[in-house]
Protein backbone atom coordinates (compact mmCIF):
# COMPACT_ATOMS: atom_id res chain seq x y z
CA UNK A 1 0.00 0.00 0.00
CA UNK A 2 1.48 3.36 -1.07
CA UNK A 3 0.81 6.72 0.47
CA UNK A 4 1.15 10.34 -0.60
CA UNK A 5 3.38 12.44 1.63
CA UNK A 6 3.01 16.23 1.97
CA UNK A 7 4.77 18.29 4.62
CA UNK A 8 5.52 22.00 5.11
CA UNK A 9 7.79 24.06 7.37
CA UNK A 10 8.18 27.74 8.25
CA UNK A 11 11.30 29.46 6.92
CA UNK A 12 12.58 32.80 8.20
CA UNK A 13 14.98 35.07 6.34
CA UNK A 14 18.15 33.66 7.94
CA UNK A 15 17.44 30.14 6.61
CA UNK A 16 16.39 30.95 3.03
CA UNK A 17 19.92 30.77 1.62
CA UNK A 18 20.56 27.39 3.22
CA UNK A 19 17.36 26.04 1.66
CA UNK A 20 18.59 27.02 -1.79
CA UNK A 21 22.02 25.54 -1.02
CA UNK A 22 20.39 22.16 -0.47
CA UNK A 23 17.75 22.36 -3.21
CA UNK A 24 20.10 23.55 -5.97
CA UNK A 25 22.92 21.24 -4.88
CA UNK A 26 25.26 24.21 -4.68
CA UNK A 27 28.98 23.31 -4.82
CA UNK A 28 30.19 22.19 -1.42
CA UNK A 29 29.78 19.34 1.03
CA UNK A 30 26.21 18.04 1.39
CA UNK A 31 25.94 15.80 4.41
CA UNK A 32 22.77 13.95 3.41
CA UNK A 33 24.12 10.44 2.70
CA UNK A 34 21.24 9.69 0.29
CA UNK A 35 22.48 12.20 -2.28
CA UNK A 36 24.11 10.49 -5.25
CA UNK A 37 26.24 13.11 -7.08
CA UNK A 38 26.32 10.95 -10.20
CA UNK A 39 22.53 11.30 -10.51
CA UNK A 40 22.26 15.00 -9.60
CA UNK A 41 22.03 15.92 -13.29
CA UNK A 42 18.62 14.18 -13.31
CA UNK A 43 17.16 16.83 -10.96
CA UNK A 44 14.98 19.50 -12.56
CA UNK A 45 12.99 22.65 -11.85
CA UNK A 46 9.29 22.84 -12.79
CA UNK A 47 8.60 26.44 -11.84
CA UNK A 48 9.00 28.82 -14.78
CA UNK A 49 12.02 30.98 -13.96
CA UNK A 50 11.08 33.74 -16.41
CA UNK A 51 11.44 37.08 -14.70
CA UNK A 52 13.35 35.52 -11.82
CA UNK A 53 16.86 36.46 -10.80
CA UNK A 54 19.46 34.56 -12.80
CA UNK A 55 21.39 32.91 -11.37
CA UNK A 56 18.52 32.08 -9.02
CA UNK A 57 18.56 33.80 -5.63
CA UNK A 58 15.70 32.74 -3.39
CA UNK A 59 16.23 35.57 -0.88
CA UNK A 60 16.13 38.31 -3.54
CA UNK A 61 13.05 36.83 -5.20
CA UNK A 62 11.24 36.46 -1.87
CA UNK A 63 11.97 40.09 -0.91
CA UNK A 64 10.88 41.29 -4.37
CA UNK A 65 7.52 39.48 -4.12
CA UNK A 66 6.94 40.83 -0.60
CA UNK A 67 7.75 44.39 -1.70
CA UNK A 68 5.44 44.12 -4.71
CA UNK A 69 2.42 42.48 -3.06
CA UNK A 70 2.47 43.43 0.63
CA UNK A 71 0.08 46.27 1.47
CA UNK A 72 1.70 47.46 4.71
CA UNK A 73 4.52 49.95 4.44
CA UNK A 74 6.01 48.89 7.77
CA UNK A 75 9.28 47.04 7.88
CA UNK A 76 8.96 43.24 7.90
CA UNK A 77 9.85 41.77 11.28
CA UNK A 78 13.13 39.89 11.49
CA UNK A 79 11.38 36.80 12.84
CA UNK A 80 8.61 36.85 10.21
CA UNK A 81 7.94 33.70 8.17
CA UNK A 82 8.97 34.80 4.69
CA UNK A 83 8.86 31.43 2.94
CA UNK A 84 6.80 28.25 3.15
CA UNK A 85 9.04 25.33 2.21
CA UNK A 86 7.32 22.03 1.50
CA UNK A 87 7.98 18.48 0.36
CA UNK A 88 5.68 16.32 -1.78
CA UNK A 89 6.48 12.69 -2.50
CA UNK A 90 5.08 9.18 -2.06
CA UNK A 91 6.08 5.89 -0.48
CA UNK A 92 9.22 4.42 -2.12
CA UNK A 93 7.30 1.48 -3.63
CA UNK A 94 5.09 3.90 -5.60
CA UNK A 95 8.05 4.90 -7.79
CA UNK A 96 9.25 1.35 -8.38
CA UNK A 97 8.94 0.44 -12.05
CA UNK A 98 7.82 3.93 -13.09
CA UNK A 99 9.57 5.68 -15.97
CA UNK A 100 11.09 9.15 -15.68
CA UNK A 101 8.18 10.50 -17.73
CA UNK A 102 5.61 8.99 -15.35
CA UNK A 103 7.45 10.42 -12.35
CA UNK A 104 7.54 13.82 -14.04
CA UNK A 105 3.77 13.76 -14.67
CA UNK A 106 3.19 12.97 -11.00
CA UNK A 107 5.29 15.95 -9.93
CA UNK A 108 3.66 18.19 -12.54
CA UNK A 109 0.30 17.39 -10.93
CA UNK A 110 1.80 18.23 -7.55
CA UNK A 111 3.18 21.50 -8.95
CA UNK A 112 -0.26 22.51 -10.26
CA UNK A 113 -1.73 21.74 -6.82
CA UNK A 114 0.87 23.94 -5.06
CA UNK A 115 0.22 26.82 -7.50
CA UNK A 116 -3.52 26.56 -6.86
CA UNK A 117 -3.04 26.44 -3.08
CA UNK A 118 -0.39 29.12 -2.66
CA UNK A 119 -1.03 31.26 -5.74
CA UNK A 120 1.22 30.82 -8.75
CA UNK A 121 2.40 34.41 -8.34
CA UNK A 122 3.80 33.53 -4.89
CA UNK A 123 5.73 30.40 -5.90
CA UNK A 124 9.53 30.70 -5.81
CA UNK A 125 10.56 27.22 -6.88
CA UNK A 126 9.39 23.64 -7.39
CA UNK A 127 12.53 21.51 -7.46
CA UNK A 128 12.42 17.78 -8.15
CA UNK A 129 15.22 15.66 -6.69
CA UNK A 130 15.90 12.41 -8.51
CA UNK A 131 19.33 11.86 -6.96
CA UNK A 132 18.19 10.51 -3.57
CA UNK A 133 16.70 7.21 -2.42
CA UNK A 134 13.12 8.28 -3.15
CA UNK A 135 12.16 10.87 -5.79
CA UNK A 136 10.63 13.93 -4.13
CA UNK A 137 9.90 17.60 -4.78
CA UNK A 138 10.86 20.62 -2.68
CA UNK A 139 8.66 23.65 -3.21
CA UNK A 140 8.77 27.14 -1.81
CA UNK A 141 6.24 29.98 -1.85
CA UNK A 142 5.85 33.35 -0.15
CA UNK A 143 2.84 33.19 2.24
CA UNK A 144 1.17 36.41 1.11
CA UNK A 145 -2.58 36.81 0.64
CA UNK A 146 -4.77 39.90 0.37
CA UNK A 147 -1.71 42.09 0.88
CA UNK A 148 -0.73 40.38 4.15
CA UNK A 149 2.40 38.32 4.81
CA UNK A 150 0.91 35.58 6.96
CA UNK A 151 1.57 31.87 7.53
CA UNK A 152 -1.84 31.58 9.23
CA UNK A 153 -3.59 32.80 6.08
CA UNK A 154 -2.66 29.41 4.56
CA UNK A 155 -2.08 27.10 7.54
CA UNK A 156 -4.17 28.18 10.52
CA UNK A 157 -3.27 25.78 13.27
CA UNK A 158 -3.00 22.01 13.06
CA UNK A 159 -6.34 21.79 11.33
CA UNK A 160 -5.09 24.03 8.51
CA UNK A 161 -2.13 21.76 7.77
CA UNK A 162 -4.33 18.65 7.94
CA UNK A 163 -6.81 20.24 5.52
CA UNK A 164 -3.94 21.03 3.15
CA UNK A 165 -2.87 17.38 3.27
CA UNK A 166 -6.48 16.29 2.62
CA UNK A 167 -6.66 18.46 -0.49
CA UNK A 168 -3.25 17.20 -1.64
CA UNK A 169 -4.52 13.64 -1.34
CA UNK A 170 -7.71 14.42 -3.28
CA UNK A 171 -6.02 16.40 -6.07
CA UNK A 172 -2.74 14.52 -6.41
CA UNK A 173 -2.62 11.28 -4.46
CA UNK A 174 -6.01 9.81 -5.25
CA UNK A 175 -5.79 10.15 -9.06
CA UNK A 176 -2.50 8.24 -8.85
CA UNK A 177 -3.95 5.45 -6.74
CA UNK A 178 -2.23 6.57 -3.53
CA UNK A 179 -3.73 6.36 -0.03
CA UNK A 180 -3.78 9.02 2.63
CA UNK A 181 -2.01 8.38 5.92
CA UNK A 182 -4.04 8.27 9.11
CA UNK A 183 -4.68 11.79 10.46
CA UNK A 184 -2.81 13.00 13.56
CA UNK A 185 -0.91 9.74 13.88
CA UNK A 186 2.43 8.29 12.93
CA UNK A 187 0.71 5.10 11.76
CA UNK A 188 -0.44 4.62 8.19
CA UNK A 189 -4.13 4.51 7.25
CA UNK A 190 -5.45 1.09 6.21
CA UNK A 191 -8.42 0.77 3.94
CA UNK A 192 -9.69 -2.31 5.82
CA UNK A 193 -10.44 -2.38 9.54
CA UNK A 194 -9.23 -5.93 9.95
CA UNK A 195 -5.80 -6.50 11.38
CA UNK A 196 -3.44 -8.35 9.11
CA UNK A 197 -3.14 -11.96 10.19
CA UNK A 198 -0.10 -12.61 8.14
CA UNK A 199 2.81 -11.87 10.45
CA UNK A 200 5.30 -11.84 7.58
CA UNK A 201 3.39 -9.03 5.81
CA UNK A 202 3.16 -7.06 9.06
CA UNK A 203 6.90 -7.31 9.61
CA UNK A 204 7.60 -6.25 6.01
CA UNK A 205 5.36 -3.20 6.38
CA UNK A 206 7.11 -2.18 9.59
CA UNK A 207 10.46 -2.52 7.87
CA UNK A 208 9.32 -0.26 5.06
CA UNK A 209 8.08 2.31 7.54
CA UNK A 210 11.37 2.15 9.41
CA UNK A 211 13.37 2.61 6.18
CA UNK A 212 11.23 5.61 5.20
CA UNK A 213 11.71 7.19 8.65
CA UNK A 214 15.47 6.61 8.54
CA UNK A 215 15.61 8.28 5.12
CA UNK A 216 13.60 11.22 6.35
CA UNK A 217 15.60 11.62 9.57
CA UNK A 218 18.89 11.50 7.65
CA UNK A 219 17.58 14.11 5.23
CA UNK A 220 16.37 16.39 8.04
CA UNK A 221 19.64 15.99 9.99
CA UNK A 222 21.62 16.91 6.89
CA UNK A 223 19.39 19.89 6.18
CA UNK A 224 19.57 21.12 9.78
CA UNK A 225 23.36 20.80 9.84
CA UNK A 226 23.67 22.74 6.60
CA UNK A 227 21.39 25.47 7.95
CA UNK A 228 23.33 25.77 11.21
CA UNK A 229 26.70 25.67 9.47
CA UNK A 230 25.65 28.31 6.94
CA UNK A 231 24.31 30.66 9.65
CA UNK A 232 27.36 30.31 11.92
CA UNK A 233 29.83 30.69 9.05
CA UNK A 234 28.13 33.85 7.80
CA UNK A 235 27.94 35.35 11.29
CA UNK A 236 31.68 34.78 11.82
CA UNK A 237 32.53 36.18 8.41
CA UNK A 238 30.31 39.26 8.89
CA UNK A 239 31.81 40.03 12.33
CA UNK A 240 35.31 39.69 10.93
CA UNK A 241 34.51 41.92 7.96
CA UNK A 242 32.91 44.57 10.17
CA UNK A 243 35.96 44.65 12.43
CA UNK A 244 38.38 44.81 9.50
CA UNK A 245 36.43 47.55 7.70
CA UNK A 246 36.22 49.61 10.89
CA UNK A 247 39.99 49.30 11.42
CA UNK A 248 40.76 50.18 7.83
CA UNK A 249 38.45 53.19 7.86
CA UNK A 250 40.10 54.46 11.03
CA UNK A 251 43.57 54.00 9.51
CA UNK A 252 42.58 55.68 6.24
CA UNK A 253 41.04 58.65 8.10
CA UNK A 254 44.22 59.03 10.16
CA UNK A 255 46.41 58.85 7.04
CA UNK A 256 44.25 61.41 5.26
CA UNK A 257 44.52 63.82 8.19
CA UNK A 258 48.28 63.33 8.39
CA UNK A 259 48.75 63.79 4.64
CA UNK A 260 46.60 66.93 4.73
CA UNK A 261 48.75 68.33 7.53
CA UNK A 262 51.97 67.50 5.67
CA UNK A 263 50.70 69.09 2.47
CA UNK A 264 49.73 72.22 4.39
CA UNK A 265 53.22 72.46 5.92
CA UNK A 266 54.81 71.90 2.50
CA UNK A 267 52.74 74.64 0.91
CA UNK A 268 53.55 77.05 3.76
CA UNK A 269 57.30 76.36 3.59
CA UNK A 270 57.39 76.77 -0.20
CA UNK A 271 55.37 79.98 0.09
CA UNK A 272 57.86 81.40 2.62
CA UNK A 273 60.80 80.70 0.29
CA UNK A 274 58.96 82.30 -2.65
CA UNK A 275 58.26 85.41 -0.55
CA UNK A 276 61.95 85.69 0.45
CA UNK A 277 63.03 85.19 -3.16
CA UNK A 278 60.72 88.05 -4.20
CA UNK A 279 62.52 90.46 -1.79
CA UNK A 280 65.95 89.62 -3.19
CA UNK A 281 65.61 92.26 -5.91
CA UNK A 282 66.32 94.79 -3.09
CA UNK A 283 69.40 92.88 -1.87
CA UNK A 284 71.83 95.64 -2.85
CA UNK A 285 69.63 98.41 -1.48
CA UNK A 286 69.93 97.49 2.24
CA UNK A 287 67.31 99.87 3.63
CA UNK A 288 64.70 99.02 0.98
CA UNK A 289 65.45 95.29 1.52
CA UNK A 290 64.89 95.75 5.24
CA UNK A 291 61.50 97.35 4.56
CA UNK A 292 60.53 94.55 2.17
CA UNK A 293 61.43 91.91 4.78
CA UNK A 294 59.51 93.81 7.46
CA UNK A 295 56.31 93.53 5.44
CA UNK A 296 56.51 89.68 5.64
CA UNK A 297 54.90 89.54 9.08
CA UNK A 298 54.05 85.79 8.93
CA UNK A 299 57.35 84.63 7.37
CA UNK A 300 59.73 82.99 9.91
CA UNK A 301 62.72 83.31 7.53
CA UNK A 302 62.19 87.09 7.31
CA UNK A 303 61.83 87.27 11.10
CA UNK A 304 65.18 85.49 11.55
CA UNK A 305 66.92 87.83 9.08
CA UNK A 306 65.51 90.98 10.73
CA UNK A 307 66.46 89.72 14.21
CA UNK A 308 70.18 89.91 13.32
CA UNK A 309 69.99 93.70 13.08
CA UNK A 310 66.81 94.46 14.99
CA UNK A 311 68.37 97.37 16.91
CA UNK A 312 69.72 99.07 13.79
CA UNK A 313 67.35 101.81 12.53
CA UNK A 314 68.91 102.05 9.07
CA UNK A 315 70.63 99.15 7.30
CA UNK A 316 73.90 99.50 5.46
CA UNK A 317 75.78 96.90 3.41
CA UNK A 318 77.21 95.00 6.39
CA UNK A 319 73.71 94.64 7.80
CA UNK A 320 72.48 93.26 4.47
CA UNK A 321 75.36 90.75 4.36
CA UNK A 322 74.53 89.52 7.86
CA UNK A 323 70.83 89.13 6.92
CA UNK A 324 71.83 87.33 3.71
CA UNK A 325 73.82 84.74 5.67
CA UNK A 326 70.87 84.09 7.96
CA UNK A 327 68.48 83.72 5.02
CA UNK A 328 70.75 81.20 3.26
CA UNK A 329 71.04 79.17 6.47
CA UNK A 330 67.26 79.22 7.04
CA UNK A 331 66.42 78.34 3.41
CA UNK A 332 68.83 75.39 3.54
CA UNK A 333 67.13 74.16 6.70
CA UNK A 334 63.67 74.57 5.15
CA UNK A 335 64.69 72.69 2.01
CA UNK A 336 65.93 69.80 4.12
CA UNK A 337 62.61 69.77 5.98
CA UNK A 338 60.76 69.88 2.65
CA UNK A 339 62.56 66.75 1.49
CA UNK A 340 61.64 64.88 4.66
CA UNK A 341 58.01 66.04 4.49
CA UNK A 342 57.70 65.03 0.83
CA UNK A 343 59.12 61.55 1.54
CA UNK A 344 56.75 61.08 4.48
CA UNK A 345 53.75 62.24 2.45
CA UNK A 346 54.68 59.86 -0.40
CA UNK A 347 54.83 56.92 2.03
CA UNK A 348 51.50 57.91 3.55
CA UNK A 349 49.83 58.08 0.11
CA UNK A 350 51.21 54.64 -0.76
CA UNK A 351 49.82 53.16 2.45
CA UNK A 352 46.46 54.86 1.89
CA UNK A 353 46.15 53.53 -1.67
CA UNK A 354 46.96 50.01 -0.50
CA UNK A 355 44.25 50.13 2.18
CA UNK A 356 41.71 51.56 -0.26
CA UNK A 357 42.50 48.79 -2.72
CA UNK A 358 42.10 46.11 -0.04
CA UNK A 359 38.78 47.57 1.13
CA UNK A 360 37.44 47.81 -2.43
CA UNK A 361 38.35 44.19 -3.21
CA UNK A 362 36.79 42.94 0.01
CA UNK A 363 39.86 40.77 0.68
CA UNK A 364 42.09 42.59 3.21
CA UNK A 365 45.45 41.03 3.89
CA UNK A 366 44.57 40.47 7.52
CA UNK A 367 41.85 38.03 6.36
CA UNK A 368 44.28 35.84 4.46
CA UNK A 369 44.51 33.50 7.43
CA UNK A 370 40.82 32.67 7.02
CA UNK A 371 38.46 31.33 9.64
CA UNK A 372 39.05 28.01 11.32
CA UNK A 373 35.83 26.06 11.02
Amino acid sequence: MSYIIARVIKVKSTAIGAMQYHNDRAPGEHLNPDIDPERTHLNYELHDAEGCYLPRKYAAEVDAKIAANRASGRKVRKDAVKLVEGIITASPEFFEGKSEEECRRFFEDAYEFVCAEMGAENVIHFTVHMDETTPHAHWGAVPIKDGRLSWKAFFDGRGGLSAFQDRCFEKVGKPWGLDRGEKHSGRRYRETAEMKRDLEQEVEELREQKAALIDEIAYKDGQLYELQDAVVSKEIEIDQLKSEVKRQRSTIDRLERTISGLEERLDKAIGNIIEIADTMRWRFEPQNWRKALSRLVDNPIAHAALAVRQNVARWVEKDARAADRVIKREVKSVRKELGALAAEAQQMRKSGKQLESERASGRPESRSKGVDR
Side-chain angles (χ1 to χ4, degrees), residues 32-34 92 132-134 188 206-222:
N32 184 348
D34 289 338
E132 296 185 43
T133 304
T134 302
R188 299 297 189 186
L206 290 173
R207 284 175 179 170
E208 289 176 358
Q209 291 180 14
K210 178 182 177 181
L213 286 173
I214 290 174
D215 288 345
E216 184 177 350
I217 290 171
Y219 166 73
K220 291 296 184 183
D221 284 346

Side-chain angles (χ1 to χ4, degrees), residues 65-300:
K65 288 185 183 294
I66 292 174
N69 300 311
R70 183 168 173 262
S72 174
R74 291 183 300 176
K75 187 176 181 181
V76 178
R77 298 197 330 267
K78 291 183 178 180
D79 62 347
V81 176
K82 285 188 171 183
L83 184 69
V84 176
E85 187 75 11
I87 295 177
I88 293 182
T89 184
S91 304
E93 61 271 18
F94 169 74
F95 295 101
E96 292 178 1
K98 283 187 170 54
S99 66
E100 291 184 11
E101 182 59 32
E102 288 176 308
C103 292
R104 187 181 184 96
R105 288 204 306 271
F106 169 77
F107 288 119
E108 286 174 346
D109 290 347
Y111 170 62
E112 290 179 3
F113 167 75
V114 169
C115 288
E117 286 286 317
M118 302 300 299
E121 70 281 2
N122 295 331
V123 175
I124 297 295
H125 74 94
F126 194 96
T127 310
V128 179
H129 284 169
M130 301 294 290
D131 60 351
E132 296 185 43
T133 304
T134 302
H136 59 275
H138 294 267
W139 61 269
V142 180
I144 193 163
K145 181 185 288 187
D146 299 328
R148 292 176 57 245
L149 182 67
S150 171
W151 161 274
K152 290 184 178 181
F154 294 89
F155 307 100
D156 189 6
R158 188 173 184 179
L161 177 57
S162 180
F164 173 85
Q165 292 171 330
D166 287 341
R167 293 191 297 273
C168 184
F169 164 67
E170 290 292 335
K171 298 293 185 181
V172 184
K174 197 171 183 180
W176 283 89
L178 293 168
D179 290 301
R180 193 213 191 284
E182 185 180 346
K183 294 182 180 181
H184 313 313
S185 172
R187 300 181 59 191
R188 299 297 189 186
Y189 174 76
R190 300 177 183 182
E191 287 189 344
T192 62
E194 296 180 358
M195 294 297 292
K196 290 183 179 291
R197 296 185 180 88
D198 192 330
L199 181 59
E200 184 176 350
Q201 290 182 357
E202 181 70 23
V203 171
E204 184 62 24
E205 183 178 350
L206 290 173
R207 284 175 179 170
E208 289 176 358
Q209 291 180 14
K210 178 182 177 181
L213 286 173
I214 290 174
D215 288 345
E216 184 177 350
I217 290 171
Y219 166 73
K220 291 296 184 183
D221 284 346
Q223 188 179 50
L224 177 61
Y225 181 88
E226 289 178 355
L227 285 172
Q228 292 172 338
D229 184 62
V231 171
V232 172
S233 297
K234 288 300 179 185
E235 287 176 348
I236 292 173
E237 185 177 353
I238 288 170
D239 289 343
Q240 187 180 30
L241 282 173
K242 285 181 178 178
S243 176
E244 186 62 30
V245 168
K246 183 178 179 180
R247 184 192 68 78
Q248 287 186 345
R249 283 176 177 166
S250 176
T251 302
I252 290 172
D253 289 343
R254 178 176 56 80
L255 288 174
E256 288 177 347
R257 290 194 299 270
T258 303
I259 290 172
S260 178
L262 290 175
E263 290 176 341
E264 189 175 327
R265 289 170 61 189
L266 282 168
D267 291 343
K268 183 66 177 175
I270 292 172
N272 289 337
I273 292 176
I274 292 173
E275 288 179 346
I276 293 297
D278 190 54
T279 68
M280 295 302 290
R281 66 179 183 275
W282 304 107
R283 165 62 183 80
F284 296 105
E285 296 181 29
Q287 187 57 19
N288 288 333
W289 193 28
R290 178 178 179 276
K291 291 180 180 179
L293 290 171
S294 298
R295 286 193 288 270
L296 305 180
V297 295
D298 295 324
N299 193 313

